[in-house]
Amino acid sequence: MNKLIITCAISGAEVMKEHNPHVPYTIEEMVKEASAAYQAGASIIHLHARYDDGTPTQDKARYEAIIKAIRKRCHDVIIQPSTGGAVGMSKEDRIAVAELPIEMATLDCGTLNFGGDDIFINTENDIKYFAKVMHNRAIYPELECFEKGHVDTVLRLHKKGFIHAPLHFSFVLGVNGGMSGESRDFHFMRESIPSDATYSVVGIGRYEFPLAKLAIEHGGHVRVGLEDNIYIEKGVLAEGNSALVEKVVAMAKNANRDIATPKEARKILKMKEFDDAFIL
Ligand code: KMH
Ligand code: ZN
């Protein structure tokens, strides 16, 4: 089977130190969490910038400082900034990070109720706007789909020429307001994408490891991290992002699936090779 790409979502925009003290806010904390996750086997770091007090921000200068610092410790890791940011941010603020020379970023593929009364807005025009900016800047989109309708939207916009191949999906399952992350949901999603597309699972909360197991067994890829889940097992807080990555590495080993390096991940995803231009 192909090698397993592990993404680590180290920070998120919603989870706070009150939930798990290892959630990074400062640049130093971001570097510590990212490099430990990279050493443990993550080839992609999914990144939300925060200010030192934990407030989420899409400020370009803050991203630049974090990315520069991570790059010094994890030379060839794939850094995937969020263009989702936090609920309520404008699309102009969300996409500002795309002005940096980044190789990959998230592209959120539909609107949903988000964890209660919040609404995470991604209209069809928003999706086209983000896709166009990213395409024009040669930024590889990670297609985040929170339910099956979002996959259908991607396929329709791809057919119409707004979203370009290669298609790499992330099935974000288990958000309250989105699709759940049961085995039937996983199979429905994976069977709904073209055979030449790739996918990663993003299991929220208790879905993180059961979905990781399914993806490992079926040739998919896996994202873990404190953005998505703060527990290493029921009721036990994870001692940082690297503990979550290590658990997936052990699961992959059990299933005889090797872990992809960043170089191998770029090849599997049909990305361009690492370029010094990505060093800010
Ligand atoms: N924080 C969520 C509202 C992304 O990174 O693009 C959106 C999110 C998706 O986390
Ligand atoms: Zn995110």
Side-chain angles (χ1 to χ4, degrees):
M1 210 182 272
N2 64 355
K3 291 195 178 183
L4 177 71
I5 301 170
I6 301 176
T7 299
C8 188
I10 60 170
S11 50
E14 291 81 21
V15 67
M16 302 300 286
K17 285 192 192 292
E18 288 76 10
H19 305 118
N20 184 314
H22 296 282
V23 174
Y25 296 166
T26 67
I27 295 174
E28 203 179 24
E29 289 168 348
M30 293 275 180
V31 172
K32 184 167 170 268
E33 285 301 306
S35 59
Y38 169 69
Q39 294 299 335
S43 49
I44 302 178
I45 300 295
H46 170 71
L47 188 66
H48 288 254
R50 304 281 190 110
Y51 288 123
D52 287 354
D53 67 356
T55 308
T57 174
Q58 289 297 104
D59 180 62
K60 193 176 75 174
R62 184 71 176 184
Y63 266 111
E64 187 172 14
I66 299 167
I67 293 170
K68 250 186 189 163
I70 292 177
R71 188 62 78 208
K72 273 193 192 143
R73 291 276 294 278
C74 321
H75 176 70
D76 66 340
V77 77
I78 301 166
I79 300 178
Q80 178 198 85
S82 168
T83 67
V87 167
M89 289 177 172
S90 71
K91 63 177 191 295
E92 291 77 16
D93 282 352
R94 284 169 52 184
I95 198 69
V97 65
E99 288 167 27
L100 299 172
I102 54 175
E103 60 183 316
M104 192 183 210
T106 65
L107 172 56
D108 294 285
C109 299
T111 295
L112 77 156
N113 287 343
F114 198 84
D117 281 338
D118 288 334
I119 306 175
F120 183 35
I121 298 175
N122 299 286
T123 67
E124 188 148 320
N125 276 336
D126 293 342
I127 300 166
K128 288 178 185 168
Y129 168 75
F130 283 105
K132 189 171 178 187
V133 172
M134 289 167 66
H135 183 64
N136 288 346
R137 296 184 182 150
I139 298 170
Y140 187 106
E142 177 243 9
L143 304 164
E144 291 207 3
C145 295
F146 296 76
E147 47 108 327
K148 163 68 162 51
H150 296 179
V151 173
D152 297 333
T153 300
V154 171
L155 298 181
R156 189 161 41 78
L157 294 184
H158 172 56
K159 214 169 174 181
K160 289 184 173 174
F162 294 105
I163 293 179
H164 303 267
L167 300 180
H168 176 59
F169 292 84
S170 281
F171 304 146
V172 188
L173 302 179
V175 172
N176 285 338
M179 193 163 164
S180 62
E182 304 298 333
S183 163
R184 63 165 192 270
D185 303 313
F186 165 77
H187 289 294
F188 187 32
M189 294 294 264
R190 126 185 133 83
E191 285 163 10
S192 300
I193 64 173
S195 56
D196 59 350
T198 51
Y199 71 90
S200 183
V201 291
V202 180
I204 304 301
R206 69 186 172 85
Y207 292 114
E208 183 160 88
F209 294 112
L211 280 172
K213 184 169 185 295
L214 285 166
I216 289 168
E217 287 167 359
H218 289 87
H221 305 284
V222 174
R223 176 174 119 180
V224 291
L226 295 175
E227 172 171 350
D228 306 326
N229 165 48
I230 56 174
Y231 296 106
I232 194 74
E233 58 183 78
K234 196 170 187 247
V236 182
L237 288 177
E239 294 280 337
N241 281 283
S242 58
L244 300 167
V245 175
E246 281 163 11
K247 185 161 170 170
V248 174
V249 170
M251 289 165 69
K253 202 169 175 197
N254 258 344
N256 288 322
R257 188 122 182 244
D258 292 332
I259 308 299
T261 63
K263 188 179 169 72
E264 290 164 339
R266 287 186 179 86
K267 196 156 182 221
I268 293 166
L269 298 182
K270 302 192 187 84
M271 295 173 72
K272 281 192 293 190
E273 285 195 12
F274 182 73
D275 188 324
D276 282 350
F278 298 134
I279 300 173
L280 304 185

